[in-house]
PDB file of all heavy atoms in Angstrom:
ATOM      1  N   SER D  28      -5.730 -46.530  91.322  1.00 67.00           N
ATOM      2  CA  SER D  28      -6.070 -45.620  92.420  1.00 67.00           C
ATOM      3  C   SER D  28      -6.035 -46.298  93.797  1.00 67.00           C
ATOM      4  O   SER D  28      -5.455 -45.774  94.705  1.00 67.00           O
ATOM      5  CB  SER D  28      -7.480 -45.040  92.171  1.00 67.00           C
ATOM      6  OG  SER D  28      -7.876 -44.257  93.280  1.00 67.00           O
ATOM      7  N   ASP D  29      -6.595 -47.478  93.873  1.00 68.00           N
ATOM      8  CA  ASP D  29      -6.634 -48.234  95.174  1.00 68.00           C
ATOM      9  C   ASP D  29      -5.207 -48.512  95.619  1.00 68.00           C
ATOM     10  O   ASP D  29      -4.870 -48.333  96.795  1.00 68.00           O
ATOM     11  CB  ASP D  29      -7.418 -49.510  95.042  1.00 68.00           C
ATOM     12  CG  ASP D  29      -8.824 -49.433  95.635  1.00 68.00           C
ATOM     13  OD1 ASP D  29      -9.053 -48.374  96.271  1.00 68.00           O
ATOM     14  OD2 ASP D  29      -9.626 -50.316  95.415  1.00 68.00           O
ATOM     15  N   LEU D  30      -4.407 -49.043  94.742  1.00 70.00           N
ATOM     16  CA  LEU D  30      -3.035 -49.416  95.056  1.00 70.00           C
ATOM     17  C   LEU D  30      -2.217 -48.181  95.499  1.00 70.00           C
ATOM     18  O   LEU D  30      -1.497 -48.258  96.528  1.00 70.00           O
ATOM     19  CB  LEU D  30      -2.366 -50.041  93.813  1.00 70.00           C
ATOM     20  CG  LEU D  30      -0.962 -50.579  94.016  1.00 70.00           C
ATOM     21  CD1 LEU D  30      -0.915 -51.677  95.067  1.00 70.00           C
ATOM     22  CD2 LEU D  30      -0.403 -51.068  92.694  1.00 70.00           C
ATOM     23  N   LEU D  31      -2.356 -47.105  94.795  1.00 74.00           N
ATOM     24  CA  LEU D  31      -1.620 -45.916  95.079  1.00 74.00           C
ATOM     25  C   LEU D  31      -2.027 -45.283  96.427  1.00 74.00           C
ATOM     26  O   LEU D  31      -1.218 -44.898  97.262  1.00 74.00           O
ATOM     27  CB  LEU D  31      -1.781 -44.844  93.967  1.00 74.00           C
ATOM     28  CG  LEU D  31      -0.956 -43.635  94.062  1.00 74.00           C
ATOM     29  CD1 LEU D  31       0.498 -43.947  94.078  1.00 74.00           C
ATOM     30  CD2 LEU D  31      -1.239 -42.680  92.873  1.00 74.00           C
ATOM     31  N   CYS D  32      -3.348 -45.225  96.622  1.00 74.00           N
ATOM     32  CA  CYS D  32      -3.821 -44.533  97.848  1.00 74.00           C
ATOM     33  C   CYS D  32      -3.518 -45.407  99.153  1.00 74.00           C
ATOM     34  O   CYS D  32      -3.281 -44.815 100.188  1.00 74.00           O
ATOM     35  CB  CYS D  32      -5.360 -44.342  97.772  1.00 74.00           C
ATOM     36  SG  CYS D  32      -5.834 -43.028  96.613  1.00 74.00           S
ATOM     37  N   LYS D  33      -3.434 -46.701  98.938  1.00 75.00           N
ATOM     38  CA  LYS D  33      -3.093 -47.586 100.051  1.00 75.00           C
ATOM     39  C   LYS D  33      -1.607 -47.334 100.416  1.00 75.00           C
ATOM     40  O   LYS D  33      -1.280 -47.318 101.620  1.00 75.00           O
ATOM     41  CB  LYS D  33      -3.308 -49.045  99.701  1.00 75.00           C
ATOM     42  CG  LYS D  33      -3.117 -49.943 100.841  1.00 75.00           C
ATOM     43  CD  LYS D  33      -3.555 -51.404 100.559  1.00 75.00           C
ATOM     44  CE  LYS D  33      -3.472 -52.265 101.766  1.00 75.00           C
ATOM     45  NZ  LYS D  33      -3.982 -53.689 101.473  1.00 75.00           N
ATOM     46  N   GLU D  34      -0.761 -47.117  99.438  1.00 74.00           N
ATOM     47  CA  GLU D  34       0.602 -46.853  99.701  1.00 74.00           C
ATOM     48  C   GLU D  34       0.777 -45.452 100.373  1.00 74.00           C
ATOM     49  O   GLU D  34       1.664 -45.268 101.181  1.00 74.00           O
ATOM     50  CB  GLU D  34       1.467 -46.887  98.454  1.00 74.00           C
ATOM     51  CG  GLU D  34       1.663 -48.308  97.939  1.00 74.00           C
ATOM     52  CD  GLU D  34       2.260 -49.238  98.952  1.00 74.00           C
ATOM     53  OE1 GLU D  34       3.148 -48.814  99.722  1.00 74.00           O
ATOM     54  OE2 GLU D  34       1.796 -50.411  99.062  1.00 74.00           O
ATOM     55  N   VAL D  35      -0.069 -44.497  99.939  1.00 74.00           N
ATOM     56  CA  VAL D  35      -0.058 -43.215 100.601  1.00 74.00           C
ATOM     57  C   VAL D  35      -0.349 -43.334 102.090  1.00 74.00           C
ATOM     58  O   VAL D  35       0.289 -42.814 102.965  1.00 74.00           O
ATOM     59  CB  VAL D  35      -1.097 -42.217  99.967  1.00 74.00           C
ATOM     60  CG1 VAL D  35      -1.214 -40.984 100.801  1.00 74.00           C
ATOM     61  CG2 VAL D  35      -0.655 -41.871  98.538  1.00 74.00           C
ATOM     62  N   ALA D  36      -1.392 -44.170 102.343  1.00 73.00           N
ATOM     63  CA  ALA D  36      -1.806 -44.396 103.735  1.00 73.00           C
ATOM     64  C   ALA D  36      -0.679 -45.044 104.573  1.00 73.00           C
ATOM     65  O   ALA D  36      -0.449 -44.614 105.696  1.00 73.00           O
ATOM     66  CB  ALA D  36      -3.037 -45.309 103.770  1.00 73.00           C
ATOM     67  N   ARG D  37      -0.010 -45.987 103.970  1.00 75.00           N
ATOM     68  CA  ARG D  37       1.060 -46.692 104.703  1.00 75.00           C
ATOM     69  C   ARG D  37       2.246 -45.763 104.918  1.00 75.00           C
ATOM     70  O   ARG D  37       2.825 -45.682 105.983  1.00 75.00           O
ATOM     71  CB  ARG D  37       1.507 -47.919 103.860  1.00 75.00           C
ATOM     72  CG  ARG D  37       0.499 -49.060 103.953  1.00 75.00           C
ATOM     73  CD  ARG D  37       0.938 -50.181 103.056  1.00 75.00           C
ATOM     74  NE  ARG D  37       0.143 -51.379 103.203  1.00 75.00           N
ATOM     75  CZ  ARG D  37       0.149 -52.453 102.361  1.00 75.00           C
ATOM     76  NH1 ARG D  37       1.046 -52.411 101.368  1.00 75.00           N
ATOM     77  NH2 ARG D  37      -0.641 -53.426 102.621  1.00 75.00           N
ATOM     78  N   PHE D  38       2.625 -45.021 103.857  1.00 77.00           N
ATOM     79  CA  PHE D  38       3.806 -44.202 103.944  1.00 77.00           C
ATOM     80  C   PHE D  38       3.661 -43.015 104.884  1.00 77.00           C
ATOM     81  O   PHE D  38       4.555 -42.691 105.577  1.00 77.00           O
ATOM     82  CB  PHE D  38       4.193 -43.700 102.503  1.00 77.00           C
ATOM     83  CG  PHE D  38       5.486 -43.012 102.461  1.00 77.00           C
ATOM     84  CD1 PHE D  38       6.675 -43.710 102.301  1.00 77.00           C
ATOM     85  CD2 PHE D  38       5.564 -41.606 102.459  1.00 77.00           C
ATOM     86  CE1 PHE D  38       7.909 -43.061 102.266  1.00 77.00           C
ATOM     87  CE2 PHE D  38       6.785 -40.962 102.411  1.00 77.00           C
ATOM     88  CZ  PHE D  38       7.982 -41.661 102.317  1.00 77.00           C
ATOM     89  N   TYR D  39       2.499 -42.435 104.830  1.00 73.00           N
ATOM     90  CA  TYR D  39       2.234 -41.247 105.693  1.00 73.00           C
ATOM     91  C   TYR D  39       1.514 -41.617 106.982  1.00 73.00           C
ATOM     92  O   TYR D  39       1.021 -40.726 107.668  1.00 73.00           O
ATOM     93  CB  TYR D  39       1.509 -40.171 104.941  1.00 73.00           C
ATOM     94  CG  TYR D  39       2.363 -39.556 103.853  1.00 73.00           C
ATOM     95  CD1 TYR D  39       2.243 -39.951 102.491  1.00 73.00           C
ATOM     96  CD2 TYR D  39       3.306 -38.541 104.149  1.00 73.00           C
ATOM     97  CE1 TYR D  39       3.044 -39.427 101.531  1.00 73.00           C
ATOM     98  CE2 TYR D  39       4.087 -37.972 103.206  1.00 73.00           C
ATOM     99  CZ  TYR D  39       3.990 -38.417 101.874  1.00 73.00           C
ATOM    100  OH  TYR D  39       4.726 -37.853 100.873  1.00 73.00           O
ATOM    101  N   SER D  40       1.420 -42.920 107.265  1.00 78.00           N
ATOM    102  CA  SER D  40       0.935 -43.373 108.567  1.00 78.00           C
ATOM    103  C   SER D  40      -0.555 -43.005 108.829  1.00 78.00           C
ATOM    104  O   SER D  40      -0.918 -42.660 109.894  1.00 78.00           O
ATOM    105  CB  SER D  40       1.771 -42.927 109.750  1.00 78.00           C
ATOM    106  OG  SER D  40       3.127 -43.389 109.646  1.00 78.00           O
ATOM    107  N   PHE D  41      -1.329 -43.020 107.711  1.00 84.00           N
ATOM    108  CA  PHE D  41      -2.822 -42.909 107.904  1.00 84.00           C
ATOM    109  C   PHE D  41      -3.313 -44.245 108.528  1.00 84.00           C
ATOM    110  O   PHE D  41      -2.859 -45.288 108.154  1.00 84.00           O
ATOM    111  CB  PHE D  41      -3.458 -42.656 106.582  1.00 84.00           C
ATOM    112  CG  PHE D  41      -3.354 -41.289 106.052  1.00 84.00           C
ATOM    113  CD1 PHE D  41      -2.419 -41.009 105.038  1.00 84.00           C
ATOM    114  CD2 PHE D  41      -4.104 -40.177 106.549  1.00 84.00           C
ATOM    115  CE1 PHE D  41      -2.260 -39.733 104.522  1.00 84.00           C
ATOM    116  CE2 PHE D  41      -3.919 -38.955 106.060  1.00 84.00           C
ATOM    117  CZ  PHE D  41      -3.014 -38.690 105.036  1.00 84.00           C
ATOM    118  N   ARG D  42      -4.286 -44.127 109.458  1.00 86.00           N
ATOM    119  CA  ARG D  42      -4.869 -45.313 110.019  1.00 86.00           C
ATOM    120  C   ARG D  42      -5.697 -45.959 108.897  1.00 86.00           C
ATOM    121  O   ARG D  42      -6.393 -45.334 108.128  1.00 86.00           O
ATOM    122  CB  ARG D  42      -5.823 -44.940 111.154  1.00 86.00           C
ATOM    123  CG  ARG D  42      -6.147 -46.079 112.034  1.00 86.00           C
ATOM    124  CD  ARG D  42      -7.108 -45.663 113.173  1.00 86.00           C
ATOM    125  NE  ARG D  42      -6.665 -44.512 113.911  1.00 86.00           N
ATOM    126  CZ  ARG D  42      -6.951 -44.279 115.187  1.00 86.00           C
ATOM    127  NH1 ARG D  42      -7.637 -45.182 115.861  1.00 86.00           N
ATOM    128  NH2 ARG D  42      -6.536 -43.204 115.762  1.00 86.00           N
ATOM    129  N   ILE D  43      -5.591 -47.322 108.804  1.00 86.00           N
ATOM    130  CA  ILE D  43      -6.336 -48.105 107.824  1.00 86.00           C
ATOM    131  C   ILE D  43      -7.531 -48.779 108.482  1.00 86.00           C
ATOM    132  O   ILE D  43      -7.334 -49.610 109.430  1.00 86.00           O
ATOM    133  CB  ILE D  43      -5.412 -49.118 107.101  1.00 86.00           C
ATOM    134  CG1 ILE D  43      -4.275 -48.377 106.374  1.00 86.00           C
ATOM    135  CG2 ILE D  43      -6.210 -50.000 106.110  1.00 86.00           C
ATOM    136  CD1 ILE D  43      -3.250 -49.320 105.762  1.00 86.00           C
ATOM    137  N   LEU D  44      -8.721 -48.504 108.043  1.00 89.00           N
ATOM    138  CA  LEU D  44      -9.925 -49.119 108.579  1.00 89.00           C
ATOM    139  C   LEU D  44     -10.610 -50.002 107.570  1.00 89.00           C
ATOM    140  O   LEU D  44     -10.572 -49.724 106.366  1.00 89.00           O
ATOM    141  CB  LEU D  44     -10.922 -48.014 109.094  1.00 89.00           C
ATOM    142  CG  LEU D  44     -10.373 -47.041 110.154  1.00 89.00           C
ATOM    143  CD1 LEU D  44     -11.406 -46.038 110.540  1.00 89.00           C
ATOM    144  CD2 LEU D  44      -9.910 -47.814 111.390  1.00 89.00           C
ATOM    145  N   LYS D  45     -11.274 -51.080 108.103  1.00 86.00           N
ATOM    146  CA  LYS D  45     -11.925 -51.973 107.219  1.00 86.00           C
ATOM    147  C   LYS D  45     -13.407 -52.054 107.604  1.00 86.00           C
ATOM    148  O   LYS D  45     -13.796 -52.000 108.786  1.00 86.00           O
ATOM    149  CB  LYS D  45     -11.298 -53.369 107.353  1.00 86.00           C
ATOM    150  CG  LYS D  45      -9.887 -53.462 106.890  1.00 86.00           C
ATOM    151  CD  LYS D  45      -9.299 -54.889 106.948  1.00 86.00           C
ATOM    152  CE  LYS D  45      -7.881 -54.920 106.501  1.00 86.00           C
ATOM    153  NZ  LYS D  45      -7.296 -56.242 106.537  1.00 86.00           N
ATOM    154  N   LEU D  46     -14.240 -52.192 106.554  1.00 85.00           N
ATOM    155  CA  LEU D  46     -15.683 -52.113 106.756  1.00 85.00           C
ATOM    156  C   LEU D  46     -16.197 -53.277 107.594  1.00 85.00           C
ATOM    157  O   LEU D  46     -17.096 -53.099 108.405  1.00 85.00           O
ATOM    158  CB  LEU D  46     -16.389 -52.068 105.395  1.00 85.00           C
ATOM    159  CG  LEU D  46     -17.933 -52.021 105.407  1.00 85.00           C
ATOM    160  CD1 LEU D  46     -18.422 -50.731 106.124  1.00 85.00           C
ATOM    161  CD2 LEU D  46     -18.471 -52.039 103.988  1.00 85.00           C
ATOM    162  N   ASN D  47     -15.690 -54.472 107.385  1.00 78.00           N
ATOM    163  CA  ASN D  47     -16.255 -55.651 108.020  1.00 78.00           C
ATOM    164  C   ASN D  47     -15.629 -56.049 109.309  1.00 78.00           C
ATOM    165  O   ASN D  47     -15.960 -57.133 109.868  1.00 78.00           O
ATOM    166  CB  ASN D  47     -16.184 -56.841 107.012  1.00 78.00           C
ATOM    167  CG  ASN D  47     -17.035 -56.597 105.783  1.00 78.00           C
ATOM    168  OD1 ASN D  47     -18.095 -56.003 105.874  1.00 78.00           O
ATOM    169  ND2 ASN D  47     -16.551 -57.052 104.677  1.00 78.00           N
ATOM    170  N   GLU D  48     -14.722 -55.258 109.862  1.00 77.00           N
ATOM    171  CA  GLU D  48     -14.190 -55.520 111.157  1.00 77.00           C
ATOM    172  C   GLU D  48     -15.089 -54.976 112.251  1.00 77.00           C
ATOM    173  O   GLU D  48     -15.380 -53.745 112.224  1.00 77.00           O
ATOM    174  CB  GLU D  48     -12.777 -54.957 111.274  1.00 77.00           C
ATOM    175  CG  GLU D  48     -11.706 -55.715 110.505  1.00 77.00           C
ATOM    176  CD  GLU D  48     -10.343 -55.190 110.796  1.00 77.00           C
ATOM    177  OE1 GLU D  48     -10.210 -54.116 111.374  1.00 77.00           O
ATOM    178  OE2 GLU D  48      -9.363 -55.843 110.338  1.00 77.00           O
ATOM    179  N   PHE D  49     -15.534 -55.756 113.200  1.00 71.00           N
ATOM    180  CA  PHE D  49     -16.417 -55.314 114.244  1.00 71.00           C
ATOM    181  C   PHE D  49     -15.752 -54.365 115.194  1.00 71.00           C
ATOM    182  O   PHE D  49     -14.627 -54.554 115.592  1.00 71.00           O
ATOM    183  CB  PHE D  49     -17.024 -56.547 115.033  1.00 71.00           C
ATOM    184  CG  PHE D  49     -17.830 -56.085 116.233  1.00 71.00           C
ATOM    185  CD1 PHE D  49     -19.096 -55.624 116.019  1.00 71.00           C
ATOM    186  CD2 PHE D  49     -17.277 -56.177 117.515  1.00 71.00           C
ATOM    187  CE1 PHE D  49     -19.875 -55.213 117.133  1.00 71.00           C
ATOM    188  CE2 PHE D  49     -18.037 -55.779 118.603  1.00 71.00           C
ATOM    189  CZ  PHE D  49     -19.330 -55.299 118.449  1.00 71.00           C
ATOM    190  N   ASN D  50     -16.457 -53.323 115.538  1.00 75.00           N
ATOM    191  CA  ASN D  50     -15.976 -52.360 116.527  1.00 75.00           C
ATOM    192  C   ASN D  50     -17.209 -51.724 117.216  1.00 75.00           C
ATOM    193  O   ASN D  50     -18.044 -51.155 116.520  1.00 75.00           O
ATOM    194  CB  ASN D  50     -15.136 -51.276 115.838  1.00 75.00           C
ATOM    195  CG  ASN D  50     -14.440 -50.356 116.818  1.00 75.00           C
ATOM    196  OD1 ASN D  50     -14.901 -50.155 117.960  1.00 75.00           O
ATOM    197  ND2 ASN D  50     -13.324 -49.764 116.401  1.00 75.00           N
ATOM    198  N   PRO D  51     -17.319 -51.876 118.544  1.00 72.00           N
ATOM    199  CA  PRO D  51     -18.462 -51.304 119.234  1.00 72.00           C
ATOM    200  C   PRO D  51     -18.568 -49.785 119.125  1.00 72.00           C
ATOM    201  O   PRO D  51     -19.661 -49.214 119.423  1.00 72.00           O
ATOM    202  CB  PRO D  51     -18.256 -51.717 120.697  1.00 72.00           C
ATOM    203  CG  PRO D  51     -16.781 -52.014 120.796  1.00 72.00           C
ATOM    204  CD  PRO D  51     -16.324 -52.547 119.459  1.00 72.00           C
TER     205      PRO D  51
END
């Protein structure tokens, strides 16, 4: 599931967000 959904995000240009990246 993780692998497939990540490819969906890349192919259809969904923004990819990470939990541990700081953002104000």
Side-chain angles (χ1 to χ4, degrees):
S28 174
D29 258 351
L30 182 62
L31 185 58
C32 290
K33 189 171 185 178
E34 289 305 320
V35 170
R37 287 174 173 170
F38 188 81
Y39 290 99
S40 300
F41 286 101
R42 197 182 310 209
I43 298 176
L44 300 180
K45 296 182 180 180
L46 180 61
N47 294 325
E48 285 185 352
F49 173 75
N50 188 331

